[in-house]
Amino acid sequence: ADPVRYKAVKATGVKKTTESMVAQSLKLMGTAAGMSLGMMTGDVPIQNWNIGEDHAIADALGGPRMTEEFLTDRHACFACPISCRLETEVKDGPHKTARGAGPEYEALTTLGTMIQVADLAAVIRANDLANRLCMDVISLGATIAFAYDCYANGILTKADCDGLELKWGDPTPALELVRKIAYREGIGDLLAEGSREAA
């Protein structure tokens, strides 16, 4: 009804948004910026919610490390002034990963802290595999963390897990589970149903 006034109000909103500390942190480090704050407020899920605090893992997976070692570009959702979508790449090593989206905070927790993996390159690799196999990282990672928890409590055995040892902190079985779940192979067939059905 009043495009001139609307444009002025919009400009004020965008200016306030981009000047905020939260927006600046998101622009610089993506949603991974939330890792340290989440740890300070006790809101980061660690070892499938069994542990309440682990600042070392937050440092290993958080925004500063991601931007220093793996960031290749930033992108924005349509019409967003923040540009918090990070593009990352792992150029060498056992978890070498081509340029791709993320990981966002959700992948850093579900594919990282929830299974106590402090290897950011491994989490980037797991996130990339999940993206390329068209799987939601939240339900995927939470289901993998549930499987790790079952293994730790003797509910699942090495034989149940196709020879994989789901030990907290080890990303190798998680990476294999991402593939097995996508193709419904072995234990992946059960876990593909999600944690509720697997339980």
Side-chain angles (χ1 to χ4, degrees), residues 11-73:
T12 300
V14 168
K15 184 175 188 294
K16 284 184 177 181
T17 299
T18 55
E19 288 175 350
S20 78
M21 185 182 300
V22 172
Q24 289 178 30
S25 294
L26 288 169
K27 186 177 188 78
L28 182 65
M29 297 179 278
T31 57
M35 183 66 75
S36 295
L37 179 61
M39 194 62 70
M40 285 188 273
T41 59
D43 195 35
V44 177
I46 306 165
Q47 199 193 80
N48 199 33
W49 297 98
N50 290 313
I51 295 175
E53 190 176 292
D54 184 342
H55 291 278
I57 201 169
D59 292 342
L61 301 179
R65 179 141 185 265
M66 178 138 30
T67 56
E68 289 167 16
E69 295 184 37
F70 302 106
L71 178 69
T72 58
D73 205 354

Side-chain angles (χ1 to χ4, degrees), residues 109-175:
T109 55
T110 59
L111 297 168
T113 63
M114 282 186 69
I115 55 175
Q116 283 189 289
V117 169
D119 183 340
L120 184 52
V123 176
I124 290 170
R125 178 73 180 141
N127 175 74
D128 185 71
L129 285 171
N131 286 342
R132 293 178 192 279
L133 293 167
C134 303
M135 292 189 289
D136 168 57
V137 294
I138 298 173
S139 46
L140 171 69
T143 300
I144 290 172
F146 168 72
Y148 270 64
D149 209 342
C150 288
Y151 188 88
N153 286 286
I155 297 165
L156 287 174
T157 66
K158 186 175 177 180
D160 294 326
C161 298
D162 310 319
L164 297 174
E165 294 184 78
L166 311 185
K167 293 183 178 176
W168 300 119
D170 186 356
T172 304
L175 287 161

